[in-house]
Amino acid sequence: MTQHLTPTAPHDLIGIGFGPSNLALAIALQERAEQGGKAFDALFLERQSDYNWHGNTLVAQSELQISFLKDLVTLRNPSSRFSFVNYLKVHGRLVDFINLGSFYPCRMEYNDYLRWVAMQFAEQSRYGEQVLRVEPVVEAGGRVRHLNVISQNLHGREVSRQARSVIVSTGGTPKVPQAFAGFKDDPRVFHHGRYLSAMATQPCTRGEPMRIAVVGAGQSAAEAFIDLNDSYPNVQVDIILRAGVLKPADDSPFVNEIFGPDYTDLVFNQPETERERLIREYHNTNYSVVDLSLIQRIYGILYRQKVSGINRHGFLCRRMIESASEVDGRVQLQLRDLGTGSTEARCYDAVILATGYERRSHRELLAPLKDYLDDFRVDRDYQLLARPELETPVFIQGFSQQSHGLSDTLLSVLPARSGEIAAALEKRLEGIRQPQSAPEARRAAGLSVSA
Ligand SMILES: Cc1cc2nc3c(=O)[nH]c(=O)nc-3n(C[C@H](O)[C@H](O)[C@H](O)COP(=O)(O)OP(=O)(O)OC[C@H]3O[C@@H](n4cnc5c(N)ncnc54)[C@H](O)[C@@H]3O)c2cc1C
Ligand SMILES: NC(=O)c1ccc[n+]([C@@H]2O[C@H](COP(=O)([O-])OP(=O)(O)OC[C@H]3O[C@@H](n4cnc5c(N)ncnc54)[C@H](OP(=O)(O)O)[C@@H]3O)[C@@H](O)[C@H]2O)c1
């Protein structure tokens, strides 16, 4: 049964997901309120039971892939108390961090920074709540002035809250190649997004030898390979890629300009074919590429094998996985050599799918609103284009790479984007403001400001 929490006073905004995108928005909204703007009653719902940024991938050697100066806020407001520099100062590590001489903190530290920010918005966030869908509340005459956000808590109970606007910032969904569909929920075959928890149950943690396949040629595949090499001496790894080589991520300075805030306008103002061309041209800044230093480490490991003659790991390039099946308790992969056309079968004790992410969860969550929307296309401020009956602004973050450019799924655009969305939200909610503000109405009804 669904429990309705806010029958009388809807929230101004419900944010779905509390990753870096919505954290940045929480900061931007608070900043505007402190500068005399409207104080919104915003609530953020997060499905994880506590704050974690890609927590299952936080292996020891993993580093942030952009400068710490591109944190949640600095590019918009360098004097914000939510900056990474202030986090360092508060934690007594500012001088030590400077001594490191690096722009790239390890991801464990960045996770701790994000968690520190998230704790400061504890009042406005609820953890352990997976949003299932967003439904329109249709009034007489067909107007929609409120949305029902329906979530499921950790006890399996459905909770319904009303909102005057919604922002979906739910990140990527692990991509699992069709060949592995038969291994759903099999602990031996898992996506890299579950790396640490899935590895914790593997026999190699008890010292047993294992042969593991890592599928993919991106940063995740490279980090898994290095971690398996360093952490499990009894594991032999085959890295299996369709490409001929591991290619470096282009993070050279001119190219990096495409991740600057101004570049979003340039991309957005292009016709669709030109936007697509730009994304193709700079694809190698982000997808199917690896940090050069990591490539050098992997090459070094494989070279030392040649010197010693002990072939622990395999590098299987130009290989297409045609099928995956269970044979004698192991996972057998049928591999086609794209160079020669020949096939071979190889058996593994586990397969790690470092096969990237899809961006589709907004479509699933907002499916009940589909008929009001223009195929999930957005305006420049990330608001979904909609029929006039839908009076509730719906925003998305991280699903607009096609219209706003390659920075859309990354951290670099967060300060600018959250500022733009906060301003747009204020303008649009003001336009349809009700006689009493939501927090006032909630207080009058004897309810807490965030439920
Ligand atoms: C391993 C990894 C490392 C990365 N490193 C970098 C990097 O160094 N630099 C960079 O620029 N980018 C990096 N990225 C890209 C990444 O997309 C961004 O860093 C960033 O996480 C985007 O933030 P987000 O809030 O949009 O999405 P996410 O961080 O994915 O956050 C989405 C949140 O929504 C929650 N959620 C999802 N569905 C629901 C639901 N139905 N109900 C409630 N909550 C839900 C999730 O639990 C999650 O907390 C990395 C990506 C990965 C996978
Ligand atoms: N330290 C960090 O900050 C860190 C760590 C991990 C990830 N990330 C980020 O996370 C994002 C995603 O990186 P990622 O490495 O997870 O994904 P990715 O860059 O999208 O790479 C996915 C890889 O999987 C391969 N692949 C996809 N489908 C396949 C199939 N059916 N069969 C065989 N191979 C398949 C792709 O092959 P093709 O190349 O042939 O298409 C590609 O090599 C990036 O932004 C990355 O920078 C950051």
Side-chain angles (χ1 to χ4, degrees):
M1 206 181 81
T2 304
Q3 184 190 357
H4 296 274
L5 279 184
T6 58
T8 53
H11 294 280
D12 288 324
L13 171 72
I14 290 186
I16 307 178
F18 207 34
S21 294
N22 271 348
L23 264 185
L25 180 63
I27 296 173
L29 290 172
Q30 188 173 102
E31 194 177 292
R32 287 183 77 83
E34 284 169 1
Q35 290 167 358
K38 190 78 204 163
F40 286 120
D41 167 23
L43 181 70
F44 296 92
L45 302 177
E46 167 56 51
R47 72 178 168 194
Q48 298 183 93
S49 52
D50 62 0
Y51 193 87
N52 247 318
W53 177 54
H54 304 306
N56 259 318
T57 67
L58 291 177
V59 290
Q61 77 291 335
S62 179
E63 286 176 347
L64 194 66
Q65 288 194 297
I66 60 168
S67 163
F68 70 87
L69 289 171
K70 290 188 172 179
D71 62 16
L72 296 170
V73 67
T74 296
L75 277 178
R76 188 186 65 251
N77 175 9
S79 61
S80 168
R81 65 182 180 282
F82 297 110
S83 70
F84 184 74
V85 170
N86 191 41
Y87 156 82
L88 290 173
K89 174 79 181 157
V90 167
H91 288 80
R93 290 202 302 274
L94 184 53
V95 172
D96 301 341
F97 185 82
I98 292 169
N99 288 341
L100 271 182
S102 172
F103 278 97
Y104 307 101
C106 68
R107 285 209 296 119
M108 281 181 190
E109 183 173 35
Y110 207 72
N111 181 47
D112 194 55
Y113 157 64
L114 295 171
R115 187 192 295 262
W116 170 76
V117 175
M119 273 166 45
Q120 298 177 64
F121 291 94
E123 282 275 292
Q124 290 180 39
S125 47
R126 297 289 175 275
Y127 290 86
E129 286 211 35
Q130 165 141 18
V131 175
L132 304 175
R133 59 193 178 277
V134 179
E135 292 173 345
V137 179
V138 185
E139 297 179 7
R143 289 174 77 187
V144 176
R145 291 186 302 156
H146 300 117
L147 298 170
N148 267 337
V149 178
I150 295 150
S151 57
Q152 188 171 48
N153 66 21
L154 290 174
H155 310 291
R157 174 182 289 182
E158 283 194 10
V159 177
S160 169
R161 296 178 172 88
Q162 282 205 354
R164 301 175 56 221
S165 66
V166 157
I167 181 154
V168 182
S169 312
T170 39
T173 305
K175 185 156 88 187
V176 174
Q178 187 54 34
F180 294 93
F183 286 93
K184 193 170 180 296
D185 300 329
D186 187 314
R188 293 166 304 179
V189 178
F190 52 91
H191 190 271
H192 181 257
R194 295 201 297 114
Y195 179 76
L196 287 176
S197 62
M199 280 307 296
T201 64
Q202 299 299 324
C204 58
T205 57
R206 303 186 294 272
E208 293 173 31
M210 286 183 78
R211 179 173 278 275
I212 298 182
V214 173
V215 182
Q219 185 70 17
S220 298
E223 291 192 5
F225 177 85
I226 291 289
D227 190 65
L228 292 171
N229 176 73
D230 292 359
S231 309
Y232 305 101
N234 46 355
V235 165
Q236 289 180 278
V237 185
D238 278 354
I239 183 160
I240 303 175
L241 50 152
R242 298 190 286 210
V245 292
L246 287 182
K247 290 195 190 132
D250 187 343
D251 62 351
S252 56
F254 286 111
V255 167
N256 245 337
E257 288 188 356
I258 72 161
F259 297 110
D262 297 345
Y263 204 79
T264 307
D265 281 323
L266 191 143
V267 176
F268 189 80
N269 292 327
Q270 302 300 316
E272 209 155 306
T273 49
E274 181 56 14
R275 287 175 182 167
E276 282 168 13
R277 194 195 65 73
L278 285 171
I279 287 167
R280 271 199 311 278
E281 181 176 350
Y282 296 111
H283 199 254
N284 69 339
T285 54
N286 189 39
Y287 297 110
S288 306
V289 287
V290 181
D291 273 357
L292 182 58
S293 59
L294 212 51
I295 292 181
Q296 284 163 336
R297 274 205 67 196
I298 294 171
Y299 198 84
I301 290 167
L302 297 175
Y303 180 77
R304 279 189 291 279
Q305 288 191 172
K306 290 179 182 166
V307 175
S308 67
I310 301 167
N311 290 324
R312 179 178 161 198
H313 306 305
F315 186 76
L316 307 182
C317 57
R318 290 185 300 274
R319 299 300 206 288
M320 177 74 92
I321 299 171
E322 297 204 318
S323 64
S325 53
E326 167 142 8
V327 175
D328 297 335
R330 302 180 85 201
V331 184
Q332 179 176 286
L333 303 185
Q334 197 68 31
L335 302 176
R336 179 173 296 279
D337 185 320
L338 295 171
T340 64
S342 63
T343 57
E344 67 170 325
R346 287 186 173 237
C347 285
Y348 297 97
D349 303 301
V351 178
I352 300 172
L353 302 171
T355 41
Y357 294 82
E358 295 168 329
R359 297 269 161 180
R360 58 174 163 78
S361 54
H362 62 308
R363 287 178 180 265
E364 290 158 11
L365 291 169
L366 299 172
L369 301 179
K370 194 166 132 296
D371 291 346
Y372 295 93
L373 303 175
D374 181 6
D375 194 25
F376 297 89
R377 291 193 312 128
V378 284
D379 67 10
R380 174 61 183 81
D381 295 329
Y382 308 90
Q383 184 180 342
L384 288 170
L385 301 175
R387 284 177 22 207
E389 300 92 289
L390 189 75
E391 295 180 21
T392 52
V394 179
F395 295 86
I396 53 176
Q397 297 195 83
F399 301 102
S400 306
Q401 176 178 287
Q402 240 180 334
S403 51
H404 288 65
L406 280 158
S407 55
D408 190 69
T409 65
L410 301 174
L411 299 173
S412 35
V413 81
L414 299 189
R417 185 173 67 196
S418 55
E420 289 159 2
I421 293 175
L425 184 74
E426 192 168 310
K427 211 156 88 195
R428 289 168 204 175
L429 281 190
E430 278 305 305
I432 50 172
R433 186 141 280 283
Q434 293 165 333
Q436 237 181 352
S437 79
E440 286 158 3
R442 293 178 61 73
R443 279 191 200 98
L447 295 166
S448 70
V449 172
S450 294

